[in-house]
Every structure is written in structure tokens, then in C-alpha cells.
Amino acid sequence: MALAVEATDDEQADGWYSYALVGERHKVEVRLARVVGGDEVMLAVKGALTPELEVRADTLLAAFSTA
């Protein structure tokens, strides 16, 4: 995933790395892009977040956190 994110650009609509997480009943799209001119990575999660998926999204955010 790190190699895919290197070529991204948060200022371009088509410059994001996108990955679909598909389960039996739900689908969530995770999108990542490097911030132009910075070291940060933008993260967007799109889909119907159930309480279980919300916990997993929080885990994903923590995994990409530098703190």
C-alpha cells in the first residue's frame, strides 16, 4: 500500500488510492492520498458505518497516525 500511496495527490479527484472493503452485507470504500507539499496522508472512508465498521475505521486511522 505504501507504494500505491506514493503516487497519489490529494488535490486531484482521480489522484487518490482507493480500496473497497466488501463484506457479506456492507461495502466501505477507503481512499488515501498524500498531501501536496506535506508529509501527511489524507484518509477518507465512505459507506454506511455500522458500530462495528466505525471501530475498524478508527483502527485504520490509528494505524496511519504518527502519534
Side-chain angles (χ1 to χ4, degrees):
M1 187 181 310
L3 292 175
V5 173
E6 275 188 43
T8 60
D9 177 346
D10 73 322
E11 295 180 352
Q12 301 296 321
D14 63 347
W16 290 64
Y17 172 75
S18 179
Y19 188 81
L21 300 173
V22 181
E24 289 182 20
R25 296 176 294 188
H26 301 285
K27 176 182 175 182
V28 175
E29 178 186 14
V30 177
R31 298 174 63 224
L32 300 144
R34 292 181 62 199
V35 174
V36 174
D39 295 326
E40 302 86 6
V41 174
M42 297 290 292
L43 172 70
V45 180
K46 183 178 178 182
L49 289 179
T50 64
E52 180 183 84
L53 290 175
E54 190 170 344
V55 168
R56 292 177 186 231
D58 286 342
T59 302
L60 184 61
L61 287 169
F64 280 98
S65 174
T66 59

